[in-house]
Amino acid sequence: MTNGGDLVPSGDLALIGGRLRTNTAEPTGATALLVRGGRIAALGSDEEIREAADAAGIPVRDLGGATVTPGLFDSHTHPHWAADVTAGVDLGGLGTIEEIRAALAAAHAELPEGAWLRGWNLEYEPFEETGMRGDVLADAAPGRPVALICYDLHTALGTAPALAAAGITGAREFADASEIVVDADGTPTGELREPTAYQLLFAAAPTRSHGEERDALRDMFRTLASVGLTGGAIMDGKDETVELLAELEERGELDHRVTVHHWHAVGDTDEDVARVIAGKDRAGRLWQTGAIKLFSDGVIDTGTAWLHTVDACGDGRAAFWPSWDRYAEVVRAYHDAGMLIATHAVGDYAVSRVLDVYATLPARDALPFHSIEHLEVLADSDVEQLRGSGITASMQPLHMQWRAGDRSDNWAVRLGPGRDATGYRVRDVMDAGVTLTLGSDWPVAQYDPRLGMAWARGRHTPGDPAAPVFEPEQCLTGEEALLAYTLWPARARGHADRGELREGAVADLTVWGADPVEATPDELPELPIALTVVEGRIVHEA
């Protein structure tokens, strides 16, 4: 399919009566801006912009004192995947097996015979005593295939009918660290660790039609626009993702600026690498490829993060790749092809090993350097290794929402006393001179960037005066949090015409009911989004 970017018109627009946070070095004093052909044509006073707009026949909107910022960009998101995995029952916040059973039973009663029962946002804590087992949920939906995915997208849970439908009868060998967990007698428990294993389960479930999948992605982007997001980096891209983006744009239904990171699986061959490289220049008006996503480890909660020292359960010393040399080969191939690489590294040792590989890569003229995603825990030595590395640290302080003040959460228990204080060290990373970008990892955590900024700034549950504050010395300022959602991700991706309000810049804009920098972290999640503008087109209006 050829891209239909030229079929999607950019916009002409004039906004007056606003407060402009330009992200530029010098204050402009401007209260208005003019957009021509999807780019900012002028900044100035209300009178100047109104006069220019009237002369050109461009509609004028009075913002009534609202604040305009460059458009918000989520540096780590999964909207295509989210459109699928968020189907079914939202199990977030259910803290006991009894509550999960009740939610599944209610859904079971509403479904026709033979339909699968899907659920998402499942948490680990309810299974601390039983282990992750499908049989503890079986009586909630007798005879029905039940397939659930945990909130972090690293573990799934299936009941016996679902496992049978997927042909999962015992353990299997995988090219990566994925695992079908079995009892001592070899019977699957229902727990499936990492995507290569659990995709067997979900591949057996009924799927949407092509049109339904396309429309679900379109609607997902419109949902993201409602909270001020104008774009994002898709971190699980596949060929189907690219085709859907091209089709949406051709239909005039793409309302989001997207960079697609193609997901490289550990088992991918040299031929797969060559195929991805061959398609690296595919792009439309609002979307582009040319980027890669790889995993170096898993997550702390399941013991699959790669750590300097083992966790409290004796886990954490295995890479996602059976051969780390193969990881280095793949990274070099994509680097030499001029692609942008993002590597998932949650554990501190994983971060260090990825940095070792990145340090071997030759310089590339006029191209940005690569990123590490998450950097969830860091030893002091890792922070020093980051210094001067040139990487982008793509982090999600929002994920601290699952921590407990008394350290009873699974993440803190796994890490052990004291090591939880090494989590989400955004301030230390910035002080080491590293470019910081923020994101959600949606649907792992909420997509709302106001929540993401609030957690980065306050490091506590917004609006709860009794909430514990985690490592307050790591808090960002209001301006830093905004920059990490606007200018810094633009620079990290080599875009000189994004992330700022100035003449010639792309007119991706977020219009706030009040100034997000001056609002407190507790106020931020409730701050209204008045308009979301992508390339001069209003794609959301409150």
Side-chain angles (χ1 to χ4, degrees):
M1 179 186 295
T2 59
N3 83 69
D6 291 340
L7 302 179
V8 182
S10 54
D12 294 342
L13 180 67
L15 301 177
I16 66 171
R19 178 175 184 179
L20 275 54
R21 282 209 169 265
T22 63
N23 285 355
T24 55
E26 297 297 327
T28 65
T31 58
L33 59 83
L34 179 69
V35 177
R36 301 292 303 268
R39 290 185 177 269
I40 298 173
L43 282 75
S45 68
D46 291 356
E47 183 179 354
E48 290 168 335
I49 297 302
R50 183 185 289 278
E51 181 178 347
D54 289 345
I58 294 173
V60 177
R61 285 177 175 260
D62 192 329
L63 299 179
T67 298
V68 185
T69 69
L72 301 178
F73 187 92
D74 189 324
S75 290
H76 191 119
T77 185
H78 305 276
H80 187 189
W81 200 0
D84 177 43
V85 300
T86 57
V89 186
D90 183 354
L91 302 169
L94 302 185
T96 67
I97 288 177
E98 289 70 27
E99 290 175 337
I100 296 169
R101 284 195 192 114
L104 296 178
H108 168 69
E110 299 295 323
L111 288 173
E113 185 176 349
W116 281 54
L117 199 170
R118 297 277 297 273
W120 63 288
N121 223 1
L122 184 68
E123 298 181 15
Y124 293 103
E125 278 74 14
F127 300 91
E128 285 178 350
E129 304 218 348
T130 64
M132 298 286 290
R133 301 189 60 88
D135 54 15
V136 301
L137 305 175
D139 58 356
R144 185 184 299 282
V146 178
L148 313 177
I149 192 162
C150 290
Y151 72 89
D152 61 2
L153 305 185
H154 281 265
T155 302
L157 187 62
T159 59
L163 297 177
I168 298 173
T169 59
R172 299 188 194 181
E173 292 294 325
F174 296 103
D176 56 25
S178 296
E179 179 183 4
I180 297 172
V181 179
V182 298
D183 283 332
D185 63 359
T187 303
T189 65
E191 180 182 3
L192 306 167
R193 294 180 179 172
E194 302 300 337
T196 309
Y198 70 61
Q199 282 168 355
L200 299 171
L201 178 69
F202 291 108
T207 59
R208 291 178 168 136
S209 69
H210 172 80
E212 289 171 334
E213 185 176 12
R214 178 197 65 226
D215 293 349
L217 182 57
R218 175 201 64 197
D219 295 344
M220 179 62 66
F221 287 142
R222 292 175 178 175
T223 296
L224 300 179
S226 72
V227 295
L229 285 165
T230 61
I234 294 180
M235 286 290 169
D236 59 317
K238 46 189 180 288
D239 294 341
E240 294 87 344
T241 309
V242 174
E243 297 301 331
L244 288 173
L245 291 171
E247 184 176 350
L248 284 173
E249 193 160 64
E250 186 172 350
R251 292 165 61 93
E253 296 178 344
L254 182 60
D255 300 326
H256 215 58
R257 191 179 299 278
V258 175
T259 297
V260 180
H261 285 251
H262 190 97
W263 188 343
H264 178 101
V266 170
D268 285 353
T269 64
D270 288 343
E271 290 72 22
D272 295 319
V273 172
R275 178 180 56 82
V276 172
I277 290 173
K280 70 183 179 67
D281 295 324
R282 286 201 66 186
R285 189 181 195 113
L286 290 179
W287 59 272
Q288 64 184 93
T289 56
I292 292 295
K293 165 70 178 303
L294 307 97
F295 282 80
S296 67
D297 68 347
V299 291
I300 289 165
D301 288 276
T302 61
T304 53
W306 202 8
L307 303 169
H308 283 297
T309 57
V310 296
D311 65 21
C313 299
D315 296 322
R317 289 300 296 155
F320 201 65
W321 294 68
S323 168
W324 194 243
D325 288 341
R326 174 60 179 167
Y327 167 81
E329 288 176 5
V330 169
V331 165
R332 180 61 185 266
Y334 288 129
H335 175 87
D336 289 348
M339 302 184 76
L340 187 65
I341 299 167
T343 301
H344 165 118
V346 164
D348 44 17
Y349 191 59
V351 172
S352 179
R353 293 306 307 274
V354 172
L355 286 170
D356 288 343
V357 172
Y358 283 2
T360 68
L361 301 174
R364 304 185 300 183
D365 292 339
L367 289 173
F369 198 55
H370 310 302
S371 71
I372 297 179
E373 306 295 313
H374 309 307
L375 305 96
E376 201 162 292
V377 290
L378 293 170
D380 289 345
S381 59
D382 306 318
V383 175
E384 285 307 306
Q385 191 178 1
L386 284 165
R387 193 182 305 275
S389 65
I391 74 146
T392 294
S394 173
M395 302 178 71
Q396 300 82 35
L398 173 63
H399 292 190
M400 288 187 291
Q401 65 184 281
W402 293 292
R403 294 174 65 178
D406 63 359
R407 297 181 171 84
S408 62
D409 57 284
N410 186 58
W411 184 87
V413 169
R414 276 271 188 181
L415 285 174
R419 289 177 72 188
D420 57 342
T422 68
Y424 310 95
R425 297 175 65 175
V426 288
R427 169 61 57 198
D428 290 341
V429 167
M430 285 182 56
D431 288 348
V434 176
T435 297
L436 173 71
T437 64
L438 296 177
S440 65
D441 205 10
W442 165 249
V444 172
Q446 303 94 321
Y447 51 76
D448 194 331
R450 296 170 296 182
L451 275 174
M453 293 166 70
W455 271 97
R457 290 175 55 186
R459 297 179 72 93
H460 68 272
T461 303
D464 181 358
V469 178
F470 301 106
E471 300 83 47
E473 71 278 3
Q474 298 294 333
C475 289
L476 300 185
T477 67
E479 185 175 17
E480 289 166 343
L482 178 63
L483 288 167
Y485 265 102
T486 54
L487 180 62
W488 294 343
R491 293 294 180 265
R493 296 180 177 281
H495 301 302
D497 61 351
R498 304 180 193 176
E500 295 178 313
L501 304 183
R502 58 170 177 79
E503 290 185 20
V506 170
D508 293 351
L509 314 170
T510 304
V511 181
W512 307 70
D515 190 335
V517 171
E518 293 182 352
T520 68
D522 291 322
E523 293 168 341
L524 258 177
E526 302 303 321
L527 212 59
I529 301 296
L531 295 174
T532 305
V533 178
V534 175
E535 205 177 35
R537 293 183 296 117
I538 296 174
V539 298
H540 165 76
E541 183 169 7

